[in-house]
C-alpha cells in the first residue's frame, strides 16, 4: 500500500537558518504530493503541492521538488523565521487508494 | 468567511456518553472527510463521503457513525465514548476533478476529552 516516511523530529533551528525536512514515499502509479502545515491549535493548511515528476511546488519561501527517481519530496526553506514554527506533514494522493496518506509529521521550532 | 467549520471546538465528556461533532463547508466541494489526530500528531483517516455516499470506511469502531444530510455537511456521531477516543478530530473537504481528488481543506479541529 501507499506510505510516506518523514524525517523524525523535533527539529530546532535558529532564525535565518536553512531548513530541510526529508520526505520519501511508496506508491503505485503517479501520485500527487503535498506538504501541509499545522500551526499550534489550528487545522492543517496546504503549504504546497506537485502533481507530476520534476514539478516544483513553492509557497511562502518554501519549496519542494517531486523526484520520481528517488521517490522523494523534500521540503526546503532558505531562511526560517520564528513564525514558521509548526508541524509539517508530507502527504500523497494516489488514484488507486483514493485517499490522502500522511507522514507522521515533523515538529519545527525556530528560536529567535 | 470560514471555508470549513466545525462545532464544538472543545468537547469534554464522560465515558459512556454519546456525542456529536458537526462539520460544514461552504466551498462547493463534493467530498468530505473525518480524521483523528492522536497526541503524537499522527493523522488517521476515519471516513470519507462523496456526494453523500460513503467511499472510505477505515477500521474504525462501529461506535463512530458519520452522517451526511447534504454534500455541505458531514457530522460525526460517537456512541459509548471511551477514554481512547480522546483526540483532536478534523473535518476536511475536497473537489474531485477529472477523477483525481484535489487538495483537501481542513477545519480547525475539535478537541475531544473523555474523562
Amino acid at each position: 500500500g501507499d506510505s510516506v516516511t518523514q524525517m523524525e523530529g523535533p527539529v530546532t533551528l535558529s532564525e535565518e537558518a536553512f531548513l530541510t525536512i526529508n520526505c520519501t514515499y511508496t506508491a503505485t502509479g503517479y501520485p500527487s504530493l503535498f506538504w501541509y502545515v499545522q500551526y499550534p491549535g489550528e487545522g492543517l493548511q496546504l503549504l504546497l503541492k506537485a502533481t507530476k515528476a520534476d514539478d516544483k511546488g513553492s509557497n511562502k519561501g518554501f519549496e519542494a521538488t517531486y523526484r520520481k527517481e528517488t521517490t522523494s519530496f523534500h521540503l526546503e526553506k532558505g531562511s526560517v523565521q520564528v513564525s514558521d514554527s509548526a508541524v509539517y506533514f508530507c502527504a500523497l494522493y494516489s488514484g488507486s487508494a483514493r485517499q490522502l496518506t500522511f507522514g507522521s509529521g515533523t515538529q519545527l521550532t525556530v528560536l529567535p | 468567511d470560514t471555508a470549513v467549520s466545525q462545532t464544538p471546538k472543545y468537547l469534554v465528556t464522560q465515558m459512556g456518553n454519546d456525542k456529536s461533532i458537526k462539520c460544514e463547508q461552504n466551498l462547493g466541494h463534493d467530498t468530505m472527510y473525518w480524521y483523528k489526530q492522536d497526541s503524537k500528531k499522527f493523522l488517521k483517516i476515519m471516513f470519507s463521503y462523496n456526494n453523500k455516499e460513503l467511499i472510505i470506511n477505515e477500521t474504525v469502531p462501529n461506535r463512530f457513525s458519520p452522517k451526511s444530510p447534504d454534500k455541505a455537511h458531514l457530522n460525526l456521531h460517537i456512541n459509548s465514548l471511551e477514554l481512547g477516543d480522546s483526540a483532536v478530530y478534523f473535518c476536511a473537504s475536497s473537489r474531485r476533478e477529472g477523477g483525481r481528488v484535489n487538495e483537501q481543506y481542513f477545519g480547525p479541529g475539535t478537541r475531544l476529552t473523555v474523562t
Side-chain angles (χ1 to χ4, degrees):
Chain A
D2 297 343
S3 68
V4 176
T5 301
Q6 263 184 259
M7 169 179 173
E8 287 191 16
V11 174
T12 303
L13 296 173
S14 297
E15 207 165 22
E16 299 184 2
F18 184 85
L19 169 70
T20 299
I21 301 178
N22 290 337
C23 171
T24 57
Y25 67 89
T26 302
T28 54
Y30 303 95
S32 296
L33 301 174
F34 305 87
W35 276 100
Y36 282 84
V37 58
Q38 184 179 24
Y39 297 104
E42 298 184 11
L44 278 74
Q45 301 174 25
L46 179 67
L47 181 60
L48 51 86
K49 70 175 182 179
T51 58
K52 61 183 187 296
D54 300 325
D55 267 2
K56 177 185 283 187
S58 61
N59 186 25
K60 299 181 181 179
F62 291 89
E63 293 184 340
T65 301
Y66 189 145
R67 301 285 188 200
K68 189 165 176 61
E69 63 277 11
T70 55
T71 61
S72 65
F73 193 55
H74 304 322
L75 182 68
E76 296 182 336
K77 186 174 185 182
S79 176
V80 293
Q81 305 300 312
V82 172
S83 57
D84 293 327
S85 298
V87 181
Y88 292 81
F89 292 90
C90 184
L92 72 83
Y93 178 84
S94 70
S96 59
R98 300 172 68 198
Q99 66 181 65
L100 267 182
T101 300
F102 283 91
S104 56
T106 301
Q107 172 77 57
L108 170 66
T109 301
V110 181
L111 302 175
Chain B
D1 288 342
T2 303
V4 182
S5 59
Q6 295 178 228
T7 54
K9 187 168 176 63
Y10 300 97
L11 182 55
V12 180
T13 188
Q14 293 184 332
M15 287 175 55
N17 285 349
D18 302 338
K19 291 293 178 184
S20 291
I21 306 172
K22 295 186 177 181
C23 177
E24 176 181 1
Q25 56 92 6
N26 62 6
L27 298 168
H29 289 167
D30 58 4
T31 306
M32 296 183 72
Y33 312 82
W34 278 108
Y35 288 87
K36 178 180 180 181
Q37 186 176 48
D38 64 22
S39 58
K40 295 183 178 179
K41 303 290 187 183
F42 184 74
L43 273 165
K44 176 182 176 182
I45 188 166
M46 301 175 72
F47 300 103
S48 173
Y49 259 76
N50 175 251
N51 285 327
K52 297 174 63 177
E53 294 185 14
L54 182 67
I55 58 175
I56 298 175
N57 184 353
E58 298 297 304
T59 53
V60 174
N62 58 14
R63 298 182 294 103
F64 291 80
S65 54
K67 298 267 191 303
S68 182
D70 55 61
K71 70 177 185 179
H73 297 83
L74 181 64
N75 303 324
L76 182 65
H77 189 74
I78 315 170
N79 290 327
S80 302
L81 278 155
E82 300 178 356
L83 292 177
D85 298 332
S86 296
V88 181
Y89 292 84
F90 287 102
C91 177
S93 71
S94 67
R95 177 181 293 117
R96 188 176 295 276
E97 295 181 356
R100 292 175 62 85
V101 173
N102 211 333
E103 60 261 25
Q104 295 182 15
Y105 293 80
F106 283 76
T110 296
R111 181 174 293 278
L112 171 66
T113 304
V114 182
T115 61

